[in-house]
Amino acid sequence: MPAGVADQGQSPPNAASPQPPDSHRLSPPRRAAPLLRWDEVPDDFVECFILSGYRRLHCTAQECLASVLQPTNETLNFWTHFIPLLLFASRFCRLLLLRGAGDLPFHHPFLLPLWCYASGVLLTFAMSCTAHVFSCLSLRLRAAFFYLDYASISYYGFGSTVAYYYYLLPGLSLLEPRALSRYLQQRLGWHVDCSAPIALYSALLLPVAFLLAVACTVACCKSRSEWCAYPFAIRTFVFVMPLSMACPIMLESLLFDLKGHNPTLFVYFYRRYFWLLVAAFFNVSKIPERIQPGLFDIIGHSHQLFHIFTFLSIYDQMFYVEEGLRHFLQEPPPASPTFMGTVGYMVLLVLCLVLVIKRFLNVPEFCKQD
């Protein structure tokens, strides 16, 4: 019998006493589940130098959603990508649906690369939010969500390459055979016809980027195994690999006057890569929580900073992608983007990434059971 019942002279529970109707009973308010320390959760949940603020395993979906308003070590991981998701959704809506990109309807072939890029950006932020919110449903679902998170980053990297291929690279002197041949002749004294190498590069760019996206997803999924000693370094390196598709822009700034003839691309391109370097630093170093474990468990740990700087990098990327789109619309090439060369590639990539994730979810080493 609970303390206080007998002291007040009330009859025991089995005695006949009037009970209020069920409809008038007041249910006590549901309290948030207590947060746990690092030694009270499965090893897969533990983040380096984060000592507290963990949610329990097997939370319900309702508890997961409620946790975005509670001070857990995942709360700001969610908000630092959910707010950018809303910002980018509004921006792409203006460009694609509200005729912000000229007077073109949303289904115009010239906008297909922008649709690919937009889907990559939005999917990356959406999957990151989903993974951080629902990662405590179960061990298997945790693995599945983060595999999807890695796949969405690869998808975004390929979508960026599609946008570069159509909107940015055609405007580079580096990929104009006569301009490059003239440069080699003046600087090195070489009389070289660059038409064939440039044509080969253009033909191979998207297929190579496609294979790289699949390979990066495989590498990231493998980094979640127990034998991987430096998972964050591997994931950071793998995430950077697709950025190599933008090397022509960097070479353009070194060999030609990119700053002079396209200052928007020059400024925002290099500022984007500065943000990416800062983001990579925080993701690999685990600073500041490495310096003072436990102090930054809820606010200010490295993954939150990683999210913020990756958002800034994509925000700057959007400026020069929009600028490239404007130049593209002013001087459209003879051959416009095709459905198979844009959306077709993206759909095929989704199918390949789904097969990769399904394969890893069926291997016990990479997907622990509850």
Side-chain angles (χ1 to χ4, degrees):
M1 185 182 302
V5 173
D7 295 339
Q8 297 174 10
Q10 296 180 4
S11 57
N14 58 353
S17 60
Q19 297 291 333
D22 291 343
S23 60
H24 297 289
R25 292 181 182 178
L26 296 177
S27 58
R30 179 176 295 180
R31 295 181 179 178
L35 300 180
L36 307 177
R37 290 183 56 81
W38 67 273
D39 53 354
E40 299 174 313
V41 296
D43 291 342
D44 283 359
F45 275 53
V46 179
E47 301 292 342
C48 297
F49 310 108
I50 302 296
L51 306 183
S52 63
Y54 292 95
R55 298 171 296 173
R56 65 178 179 84
L57 181 60
H58 299 307
C59 285
T60 64
Q62 182 180 359
E63 289 172 331
C64 290
L65 290 172
S67 71
V68 303
L69 300 177
Q70 299 164 4
T72 76
N73 57 28
E74 291 281 19
T75 301
L76 288 184
N77 288 341
F78 168 79
W79 287 106
T80 50
H81 267 180
F82 184 70
I83 294 174
L85 173 63
L86 299 180
L87 174 66
F88 284 119
S90 172
R91 196 161 176 179
F92 284 123
C93 180
R94 176 182 63 82
L95 284 172
L96 292 166
L97 302 179
L98 301 179
R99 304 294 178 93
D103 195 26
L104 300 178
F106 69 92
H107 53 80
H108 196 281
F110 285 0
L111 296 182
L112 289 176
L114 185 61
W115 275 108
C116 296
Y117 175 69
S119 67
V121 172
L122 298 179
L123 183 63
T124 296
F125 285 109
M127 278 311 311
S128 175
C129 293
T130 303
H132 284 295
V133 170
F134 295 106
S135 59
C136 59
L137 287 173
S138 70
L139 290 176
R140 180 175 176 80
L141 285 176
R142 178 183 178 85
F145 282 132
F146 280 106
Y147 289 159
L148 288 169
D149 190 23
Y150 304 150
S152 69
I153 294 173
S154 296
Y155 179 90
Y156 154 72
F158 183 74
S160 299
T161 304
V162 172
Y164 286 5
Y165 181 80
Y166 288 102
Y167 295 154
L168 299 175
L169 299 188
L172 300 183
S173 299
L174 181 71
L175 298 179
E176 207 285 310
R178 286 180 296 178
L180 183 57
S181 297
R182 189 183 313 115
Y183 175 87
L184 293 176
Q185 182 179 354
Q186 293 174 352
R187 294 298 180 92
L188 302 176
W190 296 353
H191 297 273
V192 180
D193 183 7
C194 299
S195 301
I198 291 176
L200 180 63
Y201 174 82
S202 299
L204 293 179
L205 178 61
L206 290 182
V208 170
F210 183 97
L211 295 176
L212 192 59
V214 177
C216 287
T217 304
V218 172
C220 286
C221 292
K222 283 191 173 183
S223 72
R224 294 193 69 86
S225 67
E226 295 179 352
W227 54 262
C228 185
Y230 303 101
F232 295 102
I234 291 176
R235 289 171 207 162
T236 302
F237 175 76
V238 166
F239 294 157
V240 169
M241 282 299 294
L243 303 178
S244 62
M245 297 294 104
C247 281
I249 300 175
M250 189 174 297
L251 291 174
E252 178 83 5
S253 68
L254 297 175
L255 303 180
F256 299 91
D257 186 21
L258 178 64
K259 186 177 181 180
H261 73 261
N262 196 338
T264 300
L265 177 57
F266 180 84
V267 171
Y268 285 105
F269 177 81
Y270 277 103
R271 196 167 74 178
R272 160 176 160 77
Y273 277 82
F274 172 74
W275 297 137
L276 286 173
L277 286 174
V278 176
F281 167 76
F282 284 115
N283 197 41
V284 174
S285 68
K286 297 301 169 188
I287 290 175
E289 65 266 22
R290 178 188 290 272
I291 299 173
Q292 189 65 52
L295 182 61
F296 302 97
D297 290 353
I298 307 300
I299 300 177
H301 60 72
S302 60
H303 199 76
Q304 297 165 2
L305 298 175
F306 171 72
H307 276 197
I308 291 170
F309 287 108
T310 52
F311 154 66
L312 291 175
S313 74
I314 298 176
Y315 187 77
D316 278 349
Q317 184 188 39
M318 271 213 67
F319 275 98
Y320 62 79
V321 169
E322 283 188 56
E323 181 76 7
L325 173 61
R326 280 192 287 270
H327 288 302
F328 178 86
L329 296 179
Q330 290 170 1
E331 300 178 9
S336 62
T338 64
F339 185 86
M340 290 306 300
T342 54
V343 178
Y345 261 125
M346 304 301 287
V347 172
L348 183 60
L349 179 60
V350 168
L351 295 176
C352 292
L353 295 178
V354 168
L355 292 176
V356 169
I357 294 171
K358 184 178 179 181
R359 169 73 177 126
F360 277 95
L361 289 177
N362 290 331
V363 178
E365 179 185 0
F366 298 102
C367 183
K368 295 182 178 179
Q369 301 295 328
D370 296 317

